[in-house]
Amino acid sequence: MSLSSLNPWIALAIAGLLEIVWASGFKFVSLQRPLISAAVGVAMLASFYFLWLATQKLPIGTAYAIWTGIGAVGAATVGMVVYGEPATAVRITCIVLIVAGIVGLKLFSGAPA
């Protein structure tokens, strides 16, 4: 199996997970941490690559919205769980609404499953 034959929804999920990695890793990027900074850069490039793969078969609006949604939900969750950011009812409700939007876009995208 080649990457070009990868299911576009799988590619999009990988892109979203990599977005969580690089977005969360921004807290550690600095000239004093070149390896971490390089890893964040690699995760960013890989995320864009898998997003590009997904957009070859999925509608761009759907793919981009889901990619950013996965990243937003994941980064917010990492912020609360790992970095001790506040986990208020309003923040959690907003995260749930983003997840509902992602599910809705997947279900009603018109793209093949």
Side-chain angles (χ1 to χ4, degrees), residues 49-102:
Y49 174 74
F50 281 99
L51 175 63
W52 171 79
L53 275 180
T55 61
Q56 301 309 295
K57 296 180 182 163
L58 299 176
I60 186 70
T62 299
Y64 184 75
I66 290 174
W67 177 68
T68 58
I70 292 169
V73 168
T77 302
V78 168
M80 290 184 284
V81 172
V82 177
Y83 301 129
E85 296 173 2
T88 64
V90 172
R91 287 186 83 185
I92 292 169
T93 299
C94 291
I95 289 170
V96 168
L97 290 170
I98 293 169
V99 171
I102 291 169

Side-chain angles (χ1 to χ4, degrees), residues 22-59:
W22 66 257
S24 300
F26 270 148
K27 281 185 120 16
F28 303 104
V29 171
S30 74
L31 293 175
Q32 288 74 34
R33 298 179 174 139
L35 292 177
I36 291 174
S37 300
V40 168
V42 168
M44 186 181 289
L45 290 172
S47 179
F48 283 116
Y49 174 74
F50 281 99
L51 175 63
W52 171 79
L53 275 180
T55 61
Q56 301 309 295
K57 296 180 182 163
L58 299 176

